[in-house]
Amino acid sequence: MSLTDLLYQIFGNQPWVDLIASVISIFTISTFLLLIVIFLIWLERKVIARMQDRIGPNRVGGRYGALQTVADVLKLLTKEQITPSGADYLIYNVAPILTVMAALLVWAVMPFAPGLIGVDLNVGIFYILSVSSVSVVTVLLAGWGSNNKYALLGGFRAVAQLVSYEVPMILALLVPIILARTMSTVGIIEAQSIPYLFMVPLAAVIFFISALAETGRTPFDLLEADSEIVAGFHIEYSGMKFGMFFLAEFIGTLFMSGLFAVVFMGGWNVPIINLILTFFGAQPVNFAEMGVLGTIIGLGVFFFKMFFVYMIFIWIRGTWPRVRVDQILNFNWKLLVPITLVMILVVAVLDKLIPPGTNELVRASLHLASNILIVFVTLEILRRNGRRRRMQAVQAGTELEEIETGAHDIAEAAHAH
Amino acid sequence: MFAEWQYIILFVALAPIFPLAPVVVNRLLGPHRPNPIKQQTYECGIETVGDTWVQFKVQYYIFALVFVIFDVEAVFLFPIAAAYGQLGLFAIFEVALFVILLAVGLGYAWSRGVLEWV
C-alpha cells in the first residue's frame, strides 16, 4: 500500500491529498539525499585512506571519525561567501543552486523498492538523461561566470569531456531499453529475469565507464584536476556555495550507482536467487506482492546493490591516476562510440531474430555470446593496429617509447601545422 | 499521465529549497566583510593579466558539434527502442541504416583529423 492510499483512507477522496503525498515524498527523497552525502564523504575518505595505507579521519566522533563530515559541514556554514568583483553576479550565484537541483531531480524516477518511488514515468530513462545533461550546463555556467582562467579551463574541459561521454552513456542505456521494451525504470526492473549485467556485460561496462566520466571522478576528473587547474570550475566558490558543488557530485555518483543497480542488476529484485529457486522447482520470490515486508527487504536489496557499485567507484578513485585530455577524448570517440554503435546494431538485430517465447536463458546466452564476439573482434583490431604502428615506427627509425606515449603524434601534428 | 508530470513539476518547484537553505544559513551565520583585495580573482598572488572572456580554442566546439549530431540520433533512437516489440525486422534494418549513416559521419570526421587533439 502506498502513502497516497493511506492518506486517501484517512482524509477521504480530497483533491489535495495527492498534492500532500507528493510534497512529503519530495521532501523525504531530498532530505535523505542531503543527509546521506555526509555519510558518503566519510565513507569515501575512510575507504580511500585504508586503501592507501593511511588511517583517515579518526578524531571527531569516536574512534572511526564518524562525525568528521558533520564538523566539516558546520565549518562550511560559518565561512564567508565571497563573490569575486569580476564575476558575473547572476550566473555565478545560480550555478551552485542549479547543479544541486539537477542532481536531486533525477531521483524522482529512481525506484527504491516496490511502491517506494517518486513517480514511475513511462519515459523514465529519457527523463534521467535529459535532466542529468543540465549538470553539464551548470559546470560551464560556474566556469564562465567566475571570470577566472582556471575556472574557464575547467568549464571548457567539462564541455569536451562530459558532452563526449554522454554519447556512449545514452547509447549504452539503449540496450537495456531494447531488451526490456520499455523506458520505465520499474518496467526495466521487472523485465530482468536475468540481470542485464550477465546478459549484455559490454553495455554495462561501457555505461560504467561513461558514468565515471559523467560524474567527473578519477580517472576522468579533468574538470577539477587539483594539480593542473587547482579546482577547475569551482575555484572561486567559498562556503556553502562550494559545498553545493561537492554535494551535487556525491549525489550524482550515488545516483549513477543506483541507476547501474536498477538497469543492469535488477534493482530491488533478486533475479539470480529466483533463477536458482525455479531451477529447484520452488516459487520465485516477488517482493512487490509481499506488502510492507517486501518493501523493506526490497529496499535492503537495492541499497546493497547500490553501495556495492558505489564501493567500486571509490575503489577506482583510490587506485587510478588521471588520464590526459587527448587520451580521454580519443578513448571515447575512437573506441567507446564506435563499439557502442556496433553493439546497438547487433543487439537490435539479434533480439529481433530470436523468436518471442524463447527460453530466457537461451536468449541471454545468445546476447552474451554476441557481446563476447564484439569484444574479441575489437581487441583483435586494436592489436593489429598497434602492431602496424610499431612496424611503421621501426621502419621510420623512431624511438618506440615516443610512440607509446603519443609524443610522436603530437610532434607530427605540430609539424603539419 | 498528467498526474505523473504533476509530481515532476512540483519537484522542480520545490527543488531550489534544498540548495538555497544551506546557502542562506551560511549567509546568516558566516561573516560578510568584503574588501577589494579579497574579491580579486584567485590565481597566483599577483593580479590577473588580460581578459578571461576571450575566444577560446576551437577544438572544444568541434567536439560539441559532433556531440550534437549523436544527441539528435539518440533522440530518434529512444522511441524506436521503446517500441521495439511492435517493430518488424524490416524496420530494424531501416534503423540500422540510420545508425550506419551516422557512423559513416563519425568515420569522416575521424579521417579528416577532427578528432585529433592538437
Side-chain angles (χ1 to χ4, degrees):
Chain A
M1 187 172 65
S2 72
L3 178 72
T4 325
D5 299 334
L6 188 75
L7 286 174
Y8 273 130
Q9 269 185 10
I10 299 169
F11 297 109
N13 207 353
Q14 302 278 358
W16 46 265
V17 170
D18 227 17
L19 196 72
I20 297 290
S22 301
V23 171
I24 291 176
S25 122
I26 289 166
F27 269 83
T28 317
I29 292 176
S30 306
T31 320
F32 159 75
L33 289 171
L34 296 191
L35 291 179
I36 203 165
V37 166
I38 293 176
F39 167 71
L40 290 179
I41 294 174
W42 172 81
L43 182 79
E44 183 137 351
R45 290 182 64 178
K46 202 74 186 166
V47 171
I48 289 185
R50 286 300 183 189
M51 280 175 184
Q52 297 170 343
D53 217 1
R54 296 183 284 118
I55 297 171
N58 65 342
R59 298 286 170 88
V60 190
R63 239 183 98 194
Y64 299 102
L67 294 179
Q68 179 67 53
T69 332
V70 179
D72 286 346
V73 169
L74 288 178
K75 189 199 74 175
L76 271 185
L77 277 175
T78 55
K79 289 282 173 187
E80 181 174 357
Q81 290 176 354
I82 302 165
T83 308
S85 49
D88 188 321
Y89 190 82
L90 181 70
I91 293 180
Y92 176 83
N93 286 303
V94 157
I97 310 292
L98 260 183
T99 189
V100 175
M101 272 181 73
L104 286 178
L105 276 172
V106 280
W107 286 85
V109 292
M110 174 65 80
F112 290 94
L116 216 64
I117 172 174
V119 56
D120 179 23
L121 291 181
N122 54 357
V123 287
I125 300 287
F126 203 58
Y127 168 80
I128 287 171
L129 290 171
S130 53
V131 174
S132 66
S133 54
V134 172
S135 60
V136 183
V137 180
T138 62
V139 170
L140 188 61
L141 283 182
W144 183 264
S146 297
N147 196 4
N148 179 311
K149 294 195 183 67
Y150 289 126
L152 191 68
L153 269 174
F156 275 114
R157 282 180 175 194
V159 175
Q161 179 190 322
L162 300 184
V163 141
S164 297
Y165 276 87
E166 214 165 290
V167 174
M169 187 169 90
I170 291 172
L171 295 178
L173 276 177
L174 270 171
V175 170
I177 292 174
I178 289 176
L179 294 177
R181 285 147 174 72
T182 172
M183 282 196 264
S184 142
T185 41
V186 175
I188 288 178
I189 288 181
E190 280 163 357
Q192 290 182 63
S193 52
I194 294 167
Y196 291 153
L197 179 61
F198 302 112
M199 208 159 160
V200 279
L202 184 59
V205 169
I206 289 173
F207 173 74
F208 187 80
I209 294 172
S210 15
L212 271 177
E214 278 294 301
T215 47
R217 289 175 67 92
T218 339
F220 304 109
D221 58 345
L222 273 175
L223 34 153
E224 46 190 279
D226 307 356
S227 48
E228 297 165 21
I229 49 174
V230 199
F233 63 94
H234 55 59
I235 184 173
E236 287 284 7
Y237 287 88
S238 60
M240 254 306 155
K241 275 189 238 162
F242 159 75
M244 287 303 110
F245 284 108
F246 225 68
L247 189 74
E249 189 191 321
F250 275 87
I251 295 179
T253 314
L254 189 69
F255 178 78
M256 284 299 174
S257 324
L259 190 60
F260 190 91
V262 164
V263 171
F264 290 107
M265 294 163 85
W268 68 62
N269 267 335
V270 279
I272 295 289
I273 294 176
N274 278 348
L275 271 185
I276 296 168
L277 282 177
T278 5
F279 182 75
F280 287 112
Q283 273 297 316
V285 277
N286 188 354
F287 296 133
E289 288 163 3
M290 282 163 67
V292 180
L293 184 71
T295 305
I296 293 168
I297 301 176
L299 194 66
V301 170
F302 173 69
F303 266 69
F304 176 77
K305 287 177 181 172
M306 181 163 75
F307 274 97
F308 180 79
V309 181
Y310 194 79
M311 287 304 269
I312 300 177
F313 270 97
I314 298 181
W315 182 19
I316 287 174
R317 184 170 172 190
T319 44
W320 281 7
R322 188 180 307 132
V323 191
R324 214 171 53 205
V325 63
D326 61 318
Q327 290 170 335
I328 280 191
L329 292 168
N330 272 353
F331 179 66
N332 179 62
W333 289 109
K334 296 183 181 173
L335 182 66
L336 283 189
V337 172
I339 203 178
T340 330
L341 287 175
V342 172
M343 181 180 67
I344 289 218
L345 289 182
V346 170
V347 169
V349 173
L350 184 65
D351 209 44
K352 203 86 252 185
L353 290 177
I354 300 170
T358 318
N359 189 347
E360 196 70 4
L361 273 171
V362 178
R363 184 172 166 232
S365 355
L366 281 172
H367 278 294
L368 185 64
S370 80
N371 263 240
I372 292 170
L373 190 71
I374 294 171
V375 172
F376 182 75
V377 170
T378 313
L379 289 178
E380 186 63 23
I381 291 172
L382 284 178
R383 200 176 62 85
R384 293 204 173 166
N385 210 6
R387 175 185 280 174
R388 207 189 63 231
R389 286 179 61 174
R390 278 198 299 277
M391 295 293 278
Q392 280 174 353
V394 169
Q395 277 165 8
T398 333
E399 285 286 323
L400 256 183
E401 275 170 64
E402 257 181 59
I403 294 283
E404 309 268 86
T405 52
H408 177 72
D409 288 8
I410 292 167
E412 207 173 52
H415 188 73
H417 277 259
Chain B
M1 179 66 196
F2 180 68
E4 288 174 355
W5 288 98
Q6 219 173 12
Y7 182 90
I8 302 292
I9 293 166
L10 202 61
F11 207 149
V12 174
L14 291 179
I17 294 175
F18 303 101
L20 268 176
V23 170
V24 169
V25 170
N26 183 197
R27 192 62 182 259
L28 296 176
L29 290 180
H32 189 62
R33 286 185 289 275
N35 67 49
I37 306 288
K38 197 190 275 176
Q39 286 179 312
Q40 264 183 6
T41 302
Y42 172 77
E43 214 164 81
C44 60
I46 55 171
E47 273 178 44
T48 169
V49 177
D51 201 4
T52 308
W53 294 328
V54 291
Q55 286 209 335
F56 210 71
K57 208 174 170 184
V58 72
Q59 197 72 39
Y60 293 103
Y61 298 114
I62 290 172
F63 280 105
L65 280 178
V66 180
F67 160 75
V68 168
I69 297 163
F70 278 92
D71 215 26
V72 172
E73 175 191 11
V75 169
F76 282 117
L77 285 181
F78 266 95
I80 293 166
Y84 186 79
Q86 287 101 289
L87 296 180
L89 191 60
F90 183 68
I92 297 301
F93 280 122
E94 276 182 328
V95 174
L97 195 66
F98 174 59
V99 174
I100 289 169
L101 274 177
L102 279 154
V104 169
L106 179 69
Y108 176 72
W110 190 341
S111 68
R112 286 298 297 260
V114 171
L115 302 181
E116 299 299 327
W117 190 266
V118 207

